[in-house]
Amino acid sequence: MSIDSTTENPTTEYILDADALDLFFREARTANTFTDEPVTDEQLRAIYELTKFGPTAMNIQPLRITWVRSAEARERLVRHMAEGNRAKTAAAPMVAVLSFDTEWHEQFPVFLPHAAERKAMFDGQDELRAVMGANNGHMQAAYFIMAVRAVGLAAGPMGGIDAAGIDAEFHAGHNRRTFMVVNIGKPGENAWHPRLPRLDYDFVTATV
C-alpha cells in the first residue's frame, strides 16, 4: 500500500487560490475544541443555503438538520454520545444532528416538479427509500461540512453516537434517521490532531 502525506504536484493549476484550497481541503480537518464565540442563526442559515445546492439523485435532498442550541437539549443529546465525544459536544457553541427523511419521496412535487409522478415509484418501497436516503444524506453531509468551512467556522463530525436514542429523543413522530452529529464553532486551543497520511493517487485510482 502506498501512502502519500505530501501536497499535490506544484505544477497543478486550480481555479481556487491557495488560501481557498487550504480552507476547504489541505489545512482543514476535524476540530476537537472550540472557543465560546456564539454561532449565529444567520450563520446557520448560510450553512444550509450552501449545502442545499449539492447534487443528489433525482434532486431528492433527504438531509434533515436539527440544531441543538439550548443547554437542556444539549444535555439530552450528550447522553447519547460515545464517552470520548461527550465533553467536546457539551462545550461546542453549536451542534447539528444530521438525519435523513425516510419519507423523502413525499416531496417530489417540490424537488422534481416536472416529474412529480415519479413519487409513485417509491410508494411502499421502504427499504429502497432508506438506502437512497442514507446514501444521499451522507453525500449532503459532506457538502454540509464544506459549507461550515465556507462561513469561517470549523466542523467536528462524529459517528460515535446512539442514533436510535437520538431519534427517540429528538425525532419522535418524525420520519428521520440520525446518522451523524457535527460540532460547529470557531476552533479553540489545540483544536487539531496532526494530519494523518492520505492514500496515494496511484493506489486509489485506475484508468480503463
Side-chain angles (χ1 to χ4, degrees), residues 131-163:
V131 170
M132 291 183 64
N135 289 345
N136 287 273
H138 278 83
M139 187 158 55
Q140 286 188 280
Y143 309 143
F144 178 89
I145 292 167
M146 299 295 279
V148 170
R149 295 170 180 172
V151 302
L153 300 173
M158 297 169 291
I161 58 176
D162 173 9

Side-chain angles (χ1 to χ4, degrees), residues 73-93:
R74 192 69 62 86
E75 289 180 5
R76 290 162 53 206
L77 173 63
V78 165
R79 61 175 172 247
H80 298 291
M81 306 293 296
E83 182 65 35
N85 292 333
R86 290 178 179 175
K88 56 187 174 182
T89 301

Side-chain angles (χ1 to χ4, degrees), residues 66-108:
T66 303
W67 305 114
V68 183
R69 185 186 289 282
S70 73
E72 180 271 337
R74 192 69 62 86
E75 289 180 5
R76 290 162 53 206
L77 173 63
V78 165
R79 61 175 172 247
H80 298 291
M81 306 293 296
E83 182 65 35
N85 292 333
R86 290 178 179 175
K88 56 187 174 182
T89 301
M94 176 54 64
V95 181
V97 174
L98 304 188
S99 59
F100 67 88
D101 187 352
T102 62
E103 303 291 330
W104 52 261
H105 68 309
E106 297 290 347
Q107 302 303 316
F108 257 101

Side-chain angles (χ1 to χ4, degrees), residues 62-66 96-104 125-138 140-141 158 161-181:
L63 180 69
R64 303 293 181 262
I65 305 166
T66 303
V97 174
L98 304 188
S99 59
F100 67 88
D101 187 352
T102 62
E103 303 291 330
W104 52 261
Q125 300 293 323
D126 294 359
E127 183 175 353
L128 175 59
R129 291 199 314 274
V131 170
M132 291 183 64
N135 289 345
N136 287 273
H138 278 83
Q140 286 188 280
M158 297 169 291
I161 58 176
D162 173 9
I166 293 173
D167 285 338
E169 195 78 53
F170 295 100
H171 300 149
H174 297 277
N175 301 304
R176 298 184 180 187
R177 292 188 188 175
T178 296
F179 63 88
M180 186 181 296
V181 171

